[in-house]
Amino acid sequence: MAILVTGGLGYIGSHTVVELLNNNFEVIIVDDLSNSEKFILNNIQEITGKKPIFYPFDLRRKELLHQVFDAHTIEGCINFAAYKAVGESQEKPLDYYENNLFTLINILQEFKNRNISNFIFSSSCTVYGQADKMPIDESALLKTPESVYGKTKQMGEEVLKDFANAYHSKICLLRYFNPIGAHPSSLLGELPIGVPNNLVPYVMQTATGIREKLNVWGNDYNTEDGTAIRDYIYVVDLAKAHVAALQKLMTNTSVETTIDIFNLGTGKGSSVLEVVEAFEKANSVSVPYQICDRREGDIEIAYADASKAEQELGWKSETTLQEALKTAWNWQKYLETKTN
Ligand code: UD1
């Protein structure tokens, strides 16, 4: 019996595959390598001593997906496969809606036809927009996200809730705050394509000299140092939450519809300048920066109330910002040895 992990060679997917293998799950990865690299598969094997089954194809190819379900007894899915670049999603909305939603529906059709349950969906705190109060718990009002990317996450959640209600299935929506860092082995991490959008990859490329300066998007927010606040969660901690969520779904033998929703964050907000400072301290490097205008679409502040995950999954974030940023830097150095 196996767990299907779509996008299993991607950033959060690969870390989750490692945790699943460490917990003795059989893992089947489907990944089209559109935002990941084949060497990650070997690195997963190097870390765990186990090789997951890997199918390189685009999940829009229904017939290939059907064959995977025919070939294996799949008892659950963690669905990471999705496009995730916010700016690009505005330029190519149809590609985002098609890729992020059709692939989800294709998997759910297989689940429905074969009466499979246990589906975990990668959602995002972007579904809350600028929440009215901090920390954000799961009952906070959902707001229509500004980006097409964010809308695909919110729509994906709706598709899954309707699926669960109609077919009495068990699903779990995991709303990530800002994932950062890399595997302690330095063999897995984030691989941004082109100029990174997200803060930590940009900080790393500035520290290493690929970028001249970090642009800090705005210092006129209503926060202590004026820069925006986010909840940065270490990717290995995040990966472990998936295993806990899966175990909860799989040990729930009730035939009732189950819709679990969890915020995954540390519960602590850090400003952009605090992240820069923590990175510099953790790695004894300097990160030159300049203050720029606010970035369009950015919110002021978001951090999680992750107490529901602690109570119901027995999970909580364990890694400090500095520790996480140290792993990020080690990964950057590993990447340099690969390209040199
Ligand atoms: C972004 C996405 C969000 C997505 C998340 C995934 C936007 C508007 N939102 O969130 O939908 O779910 O990534 O991790 O892109 N910053 C700088 N300089 C930089 C980069 C970032 O100052 O070069 C600041 C941003 O203004 C923000 C903070 O750092 O205040 C974090 O930015 P980022 O890593 O892009 O994450 P989010 O914007 O929170």
Side-chain angles (χ1 to χ4, degrees):
M1 296 228 264
I3 303 302
L4 174 66
V5 182
T6 72
L9 297 186
Y11 176 42
I12 307 170
S14 58
H15 288 85
T16 302
V17 166
V18 164
E19 296 307 318
L20 287 168
L21 293 171
N22 286 343
N23 281 276
N24 297 318
F25 283 96
E26 189 190 334
V27 175
I28 294 164
I29 296 174
V30 177
D31 192 309
D32 67 357
L33 299 169
S34 61
N35 193 14
S36 57
E37 298 280 345
K38 186 78 190 292
F39 78 82
I40 294 293
L41 188 65
N42 297 331
N43 289 8
I44 289 172
Q45 189 177 8
E46 199 176 322
I47 295 166
T48 62
K50 297 175 189 171
K51 192 165 189 153
I53 300 164
F54 170 52
Y55 292 100
F57 68 85
D58 182 330
L59 287 154
R60 283 172 286 190
R61 308 250 336 245
K62 275 184 182 183
E63 71 291 357
L64 295 180
L65 185 63
H66 192 74
Q67 286 170 18
V68 172
F69 276 87
D70 276 347
H72 305 276
T73 308
I74 290 172
E75 58 176 340
C77 173
I78 308 183
N79 184 36
F80 294 105
Y83 292 158
K84 60 172 187 180
V86 173
E88 186 187 60
S89 76
Q90 301 303 102
E91 288 152 25
K92 301 177 178 174
L94 293 184
D95 290 358
Y96 271 68
Y97 287 122
E98 182 183 345
N99 188 52
N100 293 4
L101 296 173
F102 285 17
T103 56
L104 169 65
I105 291 166
N106 288 347
I107 306 164
L108 292 177
Q109 293 281 16
E110 294 292 338
F111 264 51
K112 182 197 82 177
N113 293 337
R114 297 166 195 264
N115 209 9
I116 309 172
S117 206
N118 306 320
F119 195 99
I120 296 184
F121 180 65
S122 296
S123 188
S124 164
C125 65
T126 193
V127 299
Y128 298 118
Q130 179 57 72
D132 301 327
K133 69 175 182 47
M134 292 299 136
I136 305 171
D137 69 29
E138 292 81 356
S139 67
L141 202 69
L142 301 187
K143 297 187 179 151
T144 305
E146 294 220 8
S147 71
V148 171
Y149 156 78
K151 286 179 196 161
T152 67
K153 290 294 170 193
Q154 202 172 70
M155 289 177 189
E157 288 198 358
E158 293 307 312
V159 168
L160 274 156
K161 286 180 199 164
D162 290 337
F163 167 82
N165 283 322
Y167 306 115
H168 307 293
S169 292
K170 293 182 286 173
I171 63 149
C172 179
L173 312 175
L174 296 179
R175 294 177 180 156
Y176 312 150
F177 281 67
N178 291 54
I180 57 161
H183 197 267
S185 64
S186 303
L187 293 171
L188 306 176
E190 196 168 3
L191 285 166
I193 303 175
V195 183
N197 245 317
N198 293 121
L199 178 61
V200 172
Y202 206 105
V203 164
M204 291 196 305
Q205 292 196 359
T206 307
T208 203
I210 301 173
R211 313 277 158 210
E212 200 188 325
K213 272 181 193 158
L214 168 73
N215 298 313
V216 174
W217 303 125
N219 70 345
D220 57 352
Y221 286 106
N222 188 20
T223 62
E224 210 156 291
D225 64 21
T227 63
I229 289 179
R230 298 288 185 275
D231 185 338
Y232 297 92
I233 170 83
Y234 180 45
V235 66
V236 175
D237 288 341
L238 192 63
K240 288 179 179 167
H242 291 74
V243 178
L246 184 65
Q247 282 165 337
K248 177 170 187 276
L249 285 184
M250 291 177 70
T251 51
N252 170 2
T253 50
S254 130
V255 288
E256 299 294 311
T257 297
T258 302
I259 302 173
D260 283 337
I261 303 178
F262 296 107
N263 283 346
L264 299 179
T266 65
K268 184 179 174 300
S270 305
S271 73
V272 175
L273 293 181
E274 280 169 347
V275 171
V276 171
E277 198 185 317
F279 189 88
E280 292 182 325
K281 264 204 189 130
N283 301 307
S284 309
V285 287
S286 83
V287 179
Y289 68 84
Q290 61 187 4
I291 305 293
C292 303
D293 289 344
R294 291 180 180 194
R295 182 171 68 178
E296 207 186 312
D298 268 355
I299 55 168
E300 184 163 270
I301 177 163
Y303 58 91
D305 176 343
S307 54
K308 186 170 175 230
E310 184 170 357
Q311 281 152 21
E312 295 186 26
L313 300 178
W315 171 90
K316 68 176 176 14
S317 142
E318 287 169 350
T319 311
T320 65
L321 182 62
Q322 274 202 32
E323 286 164 352
L325 292 170
K326 203 167 172 53
T327 64
W329 185 234
N330 289 339
W331 163 248
Q332 178 71 34
K333 287 190 277 189
Y334 166 79
L335 281 182
E336 280 163 25
T337 64
K338 270 194 96 66
T339 47
N340 286 337

